Amino acid sequence: MATAVSCPKAMKATSNGVFQGDNPLDYALPLAILQILLVLLLTRLLAFLLKPLRQPRVIAEIIGGILLGPSALGRNITYLNMIFPAKSLTVLDTLANLGLLFFLFLVGLELDLKSLRRTGTKALGIALMGISLPFAIGIGVSYVLQNTISQGVKLAPFLVFMGVALSITAFPVLARILAELKLLTTDVGRIAMSAAAVNDIAAWILLALAIALSGSGHSPLTSLWVLLSGSGFIICCSVIIPPVFKWMARRCPEGEPVNEMYVCATLGTVLAAGFCTDAIGIHALFGAFVVGVLMPKEGPFAGALVEKVQDLVSGLLLPLYFVSSGLKTNIATIQGAQSWGLLVLIITTACFGKIVGTVGVSLFCRVPFREALTLGFLMNTKGLVELIVLNIGKDRKVLNDQTFAICVLMAIFTTFITTPIVVAIYKPAKKALKGDYKFRTIERKDRNSQLRILTCFHSHRNIPTMINVIEASRGTEKRQGLGVYALHLMELSERTSSILMVHKARKNGLPFWNKLQQSESNQVVVAFEAFRQLSHVVIRPMTAISAMHNMHEDICTMAERKRVAMIILPFHKHQRLDGSLETTRTEFRGVNKRVLEEANCSVGILVDRGLGGGAHVAASNVSSSISVLFFGGKDDREALAYGWRMAEHPGISLTVIHFTAGTQIVGQEVKLDITEESYTSTESDIRFLVELKKKSDEKSVKFENRLVNSYQEIVEAVKEVSRCNLFLVGQMPMGPAAAALAVNIECPELGHAGNLLTSHDFTTSASVLVVKQYKSSTSLVHDRRDE
């Protein structure tokens, strides 16, 4: 009599609750929620712990998946049967693959086929050798594995899978590593990104071949039909997808929200393409990747799709794939000297093939050895795509448990070592500064020399006021002119995709997308180009992509390279409709403080209250009044020197209020640091004021001397000129009158006068520019003026 085989009971979606006797862990939805929460908690914790080592988040997610699987926590059978029971794995794998489907669409979206046609011979040669040599070595290793731990597998697909596993370079992971190390805009970064793009396309073609060869059909014609059908799918998509999505992109203008119908249509197309390629027998992921590659990259549509899809996919669904992979990875299967020896062999050959192949062709292309070695380790970066290859191989029975575990450890090791080794071997030399970089301040003896300014902004909100400040800084036509560099400060966060990083970084010299089309659609570039045509002042827009903790390094380095006299930073607060100041992001305050401490030129912090209104004012229509509060000291002189230059503009009037201490202040026992610099500063103040009165135009510059005996009298004097458009003040005023300002301050980076003008008790609609003059540690102010 035959024995009946009982299958496990299918899980229902939701439970009736614990009060009705149901265990939520026996139902699909609450169990999936618990699994997702556990995954998020562990992977985020590991990412935080690995952050000091500057590791990409993919490393934390792969390790987290392995820890949750049978290699670590899964050794406890009770835990494994409770949290990851066998009957729940279908739901988990479905969610994971759905997230992966859309992630591969984003990966394809980050690759531009047009850029491959423009790839230089150097990058193309590095990419081809970086694939060919490790692929050939991977085939050689395959024979070793087949004779030891992988006996009985199909030879042809096994050779291709191992070749792809050893030759692949993870494009998204590499982009993040380059951005984190500030190499994205260097020659090394440009070559690495271009080579990785070529590598990614070639790897997917080889993977499609491997999947076709690994089919379960016994006839070789089956694999041929799969390949031909896949080729037909790509041809059809190439004909249909680009024109349709170009039409959508044209109907999504810059600055306006993307139509929800277009987003829905795009996501539906991705799912349909995934269904088609799965039906063909390649893999659903391949269809999603093809749609992403073929989508047009011009305009805001592609960037909007990334923003809408990435947070949910990368933050919530994609980590499930690492858990799904981790549940298949059992490091305990690597036992004995032979298995560990094979692990060492695979890691060694993987690194050797990539590094030696890349270094060899780089040296042949006359790349310096240090840069060539850096390229070798960068191209050795693995990541999620590597894991996808391995998982498909395991699902297709091409890789057994032991081979799969060995290859996963290889992927972790090669990616983990990339950042530390690159940091150790490659430190880009700073560009040698020209000997004439002596104008690090606005106060200078040669007032006819060119003034260079670096203006920084976080968002489009800062641009109108910045442009109006630049307009006021033009000076007279007799001078050598004004050079302006506009630096867009862009935070590098975990949600920043490589399409966004490369698009922004291209402005700094990385030709990855069509420069003309992107520039025309960029509001920032359009605003500065319009200003250039109106005012004949050339502004060079640039972008700094940095984490908040080291964004100041990019600002200071850019100022040094461009030999600017002043950096102008936006204040971390913006004006609300009621006139009060509201904090935008507190992290920007830290950036400003670090720039003040480390910059090798003068620094100004601009408190924006809508100088000149919300748009640029043409030169012929400018009518602004500027007030300088002068107490004394190098910072006040720098602010006054800037105001003096602004007063040369025909539409600007300057009022200088010189505060001197009355008898009550002088008679008080005020503890002041009486140093040589104090005496020198007083002498320099007198000389500077005399020169200013002698050379300035009486119609545009007005002087007022105010004798003050208290803080309240200073406030009353300032209120009399509070209806001006802009206040210029020094960060650290000096002298007896400045001592009366010594009250509690909210923002030390603004100094006493700046805090007075931005306090809740002081009402004004004027913007405020707080200036700190650069002072080297080895020279006094009067020495610099004589340069």
Side-chain angles (χ1 to χ4, degrees):
M1 183 176 178
T3 305
V5 179
S6 61
C7 297
K9 190 177 180 181
M11 298 182 75
K12 292 184 179 179
T14 57
S15 71
N16 294 318
V18 293
F19 295 108
Q20 298 195 38
D22 286 350
N23 181 359
L25 298 183
D26 292 335
Y27 295 84
L29 180 62
L31 182 57
I33 292 173
L34 180 63
Q35 290 170 345
I36 293 172
L37 291 175
L38 182 62
V39 170
L40 291 179
L41 180 65
L42 181 60
T43 54
R44 294 292 174 164
L45 176 62
L46 288 172
F48 176 76
L49 295 176
L50 292 173
K51 193 173 183 179
L53 300 177
R54 304 173 81 173
Q55 292 296 322
R57 199 173 75 189
V58 66
I59 289 291
E61 290 170 333
I62 294 175
I63 295 175
I66 292 174
L67 292 179
L68 290 172
S71 299
L73 296 176
R75 289 176 177 271
N76 187 323
I77 303 301
T78 304
Y79 150 83
L80 199 62
N81 291 334
M82 182 182 296
I83 307 298
F84 296 103
K87 58 185 177 181
S88 74
L89 296 185
T90 302
V91 176
L92 181 66
D93 286 345
T94 302
L95 286 174
N97 280 280
L98 189 63
L100 187 63
L101 188 81
F102 287 110
F103 182 79
L104 264 295
F105 162 70
L106 296 178
V107 172
L109 198 60
E110 292 171 352
L111 293 172
D112 188 4
L113 292 178
K114 292 179 181 178
S115 68
L116 299 184
R117 293 199 295 267
R118 298 193 302 269
T119 300
T121 54
K122 187 185 297 183
L124 185 61
I126 290 172
L128 294 178
M129 184 57 70
I131 297 172
S132 304
L133 184 59
F135 189 86
I137 292 177
I139 291 177
V141 171
S142 302
Y143 285 104
V144 177
L145 293 176
Q146 196 192 32
N147 292 325
T148 52
I149 62 173
S150 299
Q151 297 177 358
V153 299
K154 288 184 179 180
L155 181 60
F158 184 62
L159 296 179
V160 180
F161 266 107
M162 289 303 300
V164 173
L166 267 65
S167 62
I168 206 165
T169 296
F171 178 85
V173 179
L174 178 62
R176 176 157 300 283
I177 290 175
L178 289 170
E180 175 69 24
L181 299 180
K182 301 186 185 302
L183 298 177
L184 198 58
T185 57
T186 63
D187 288 340
V188 167
R190 177 183 59 80
I191 294 172
M193 287 294 284
S194 299
V198 177
N199 194 307
D200 242 21
I201 296 294
W204 278 99
I205 294 172
L206 292 172
L207 179 60
L209 174 63
I211 293 173
L213 293 174
S214 64
S216 57
H218 297 290
S219 173
L221 289 176
T222 304
S223 298
L224 179 62
W225 277 114
V226 170
L227 286 175
L228 291 176
S229 300
S231 302
F233 169 80
I234 294 175
I235 293 171
C236 291
C237 288
S238 302
V239 173
I240 297 172
I241 289 179
V244 171
F245 283 99
K246 281 182 181 178
W247 177 82
M248 288 186 186
R250 285 196 298 268
R251 297 175 66 88
C252 298
E254 182 82 34
E256 295 186 12
V258 176
N259 192 316
E260 180 267 342
M261 183 180 70
Y262 298 151
V263 177
C264 185
T266 304
L267 300 182
T269 303
V270 173
L271 292 173
F275 176 82
C276 290
T277 51
D278 188 80
I280 290 171
I282 300 178
H283 200 286
L285 305 179
F286 192 78
F289 178 75
V290 169
V291 173
V293 169
L294 294 176
M295 276 197 62
K297 311 302 188 288
E298 298 83 8
F301 187 56
L305 280 174
V306 171
E307 291 183 1
K308 290 179 179 295
V309 176
Q310 184 167 17
D311 285 344
L312 177 65
V313 171
S314 299
L316 194 65
L317 297 179
L318 193 61
L320 296 180
Y321 188 78
F322 295 101
V323 175
S324 176
S325 176
L327 292 172
K328 302 172 189 174
T329 306
N330 189 356
I331 297 177
T333 58
I334 307 175
Q335 295 179 345
Q338 183 189 66
S339 295
W340 287 103
L342 289 172
L343 173 62
V344 174
L345 174 67
I346 289 180
I347 290 176
T348 303
T349 52
C351 296
F352 178 85
K354 269 290 183 185
I355 296 170
V356 171
T358 303
V359 171
V361 73
S362 299
L363 292 176
F364 180 78
C365 295
R366 297 184 179 179
V367 175
F369 178 75
R370 190 179 294 271
E371 294 184 8
L373 192 61
T374 303
L375 280 171
F377 280 100
L378 287 172
M379 295 300 292
N380 197 36
T381 303
K382 309 295 181 189
L384 176 62
V385 184
E386 167 84 2
L387 215 59
I388 294 170
V389 173
L390 298 177
N391 274 281
I392 293 175
K394 190 171 191 310
D395 292 339
R396 297 293 178 110
K397 309 296 184 184
V398 176
L399 304 177
N400 60 24
D401 291 345
Q402 196 171 357
T403 308
F404 179 79
I406 288 175
C407 291
V408 169
L409 291 182
M410 178 269 291
I412 295 175
F413 179 82
T414 53
T415 307
F416 191 91
I417 65 172
T418 299
T419 301
I421 291 181
V422 170
V423 169
I425 66 175
Y426 184 67
K427 296 177 181 177
K430 292 185 178 180
K431 293 182 179 179
L433 297 176
K434 295 182 179 180
D436 60 351
Y437 184 24
K438 59 182 180 180
F439 298 125
R440 298 176 183 266
T441 63
I442 296 178
E443 182 194 3
R444 59 186 68 165
K445 187 174 182 179
D446 183 8
R447 296 185 62 247
N448 290 323
S449 57
Q450 185 189 43
L451 175 63
R452 295 190 174 194
I453 297 176
L454 176 67
T455 62
C456 304
F457 59 95
H458 309 137
S459 65
H460 300 284
R461 178 189 296 154
N462 309 131
I463 295 175
T465 294
M466 284 292 185
I467 287 182
N468 289 322
V469 169
I470 295 167
E471 167 64 38
S473 308
R474 287 194 301 151
T476 63
E477 294 182 358
K478 297 178 182 179
R479 297 191 174 187
Q480 294 181 17
L482 176 68
V484 180
Y485 301 91
L487 188 64
H488 184 186
L489 304 177
M490 178 180 167
E491 182 187 6
L492 175 66
S493 63
E494 288 294 345
R495 72 189 298 268
T496 310
S497 67
S498 39
I499 184 177
L500 197 56
M501 288 189 288
V502 175
H503 164 64
K504 295 289 185 182
R506 178 201 41 72
K507 298 175 190 173
N508 287 356
L510 187 66
F512 214 71
W513 269 278
N514 186 288
K515 190 168 185 176
L516 180 61
Q517 290 178 336
Q518 289 294 344
S519 296
E520 288 177 344
S521 66
N522 190 287
Q523 290 181 347
V524 177
V525 177
V526 169
F528 289 141
E529 178 63 21
F531 174 73
R532 185 191 67 80
Q533 294 179 2
L534 287 170
S535 303
H536 306 291
V537 175
V538 179
I539 302 181
R540 297 168 180 83
M542 299 175 297
T543 302
I545 309 170
S546 312
M548 280 294 183
H549 68 273
N550 60 7
M551 186 175 284
H552 66 284
E553 296 176 5
D554 277 355
I555 299 172
C556 296
T557 301
M558 191 61 67
E560 192 86 3
R561 287 179 179 175
K562 302 303 180 183
R563 309 196 310 281
V564 303
M566 176 175 281
I567 302 169
I568 299 180
L569 301 165
F571 191 45
H572 69 279
K573 295 183 180 181
H574 69 272
Q575 188 176 30
R576 298 171 58 181
L577 293 177
D578 61 1
S580 61
L581 293 173
E582 180 182 47
T583 300
T584 306
R585 285 189 62 180
T586 54
E587 295 94 333
F588 286 119
R589 182 182 184 184
V591 173
N592 291 351
K593 286 182 176 179
R594 289 187 286 271
V595 172
L596 284 168
E597 293 170 0
E598 300 184 17
N600 288 322
C601 62
S602 296
V603 180
I605 297 180
L606 180 62
V607 181
D608 183 5
R609 289 196 176 107
L611 176 64
H616 165 57
V617 181
S620 58
N621 298 327
V622 170
S623 179
S624 300
S625 59
I626 297 174
S627 298
V628 177
L629 309 183
F630 190 85
F631 295 88
K634 58 186 178 63
D635 292 351
D636 279 22
R637 287 199 307 277
E638 186 75 353
L640 184 52
Y642 198 8
W644 188 3
R645 183 183 179 99
M646 289 180 171
E648 295 173 356
H649 194 289
I652 292 178
S653 61
L654 177 68
T655 301
V656 182
I657 304 179
H658 183 199
F659 292 96
T660 55
T663 54
Q664 294 183 20
I665 295 179
V666 174
Q668 291 175 352
E669 294 182 1
V670 181
K671 294 183 179 179
L672 297 174
D673 293 331
I674 307 299
T675 61
E676 181 183 352
E677 183 178 346
S678 301
Y679 291 117
T680 305
S681 184
T682 303
E683 294 172 3
S684 300
D685 294 342
I686 296 172
R687 289 201 306 268
F688 187 73
L689 289 172
V690 169
E691 182 185 5
L692 177 60
K693 291 177 182 179
K694 185 186 299 183
K695 296 183 178 180
S696 60
D697 185 354
E698 294 182 359
K699 295 181 181 179
S700 59
V701 182
K702 178 184 177 182
F703 287 90
E704 294 184 17
N705 285 313
R706 289 299 180 97
L707 191 69
V708 291
N709 287 293
S710 66
Y711 173 76
Q712 192 58 41
E713 289 186 12
I714 295 175
V715 173
E716 293 300 324
V718 175
K719 283 183 177 179
E720 293 179 16
V721 292
S722 63
R723 299 190 67 177
C724 66
N725 300 102
L726 177 67
F727 277 107
L728 286 172
V729 297
Q731 187 205 32
M732 293 292 291
M734 299 178 67
L741 285 171
V743 294
N744 293 328
I745 57 176
E746 181 183 355
C747 298
E749 66 271 22
L750 296 184
H752 294 289
N755 273 271
L756 165 63
L757 297 171
T758 56
S759 65
H760 300 292
D761 302 328
F762 191 89
T763 304
T764 181
S765 59
S767 299
V768 181
L769 182 62
V770 180
V771 177
K772 178 186 177 184
Q773 188 182 67
Y774 167 74
K775 181 180 183 299
S776 66
S777 59
T778 58
S779 63
L780 294 173
V781 177
H782 67 277
D783 294 328
R784 282 201 318 278
R785 293 184 63 207
D786 293 333
E787 287 183 336

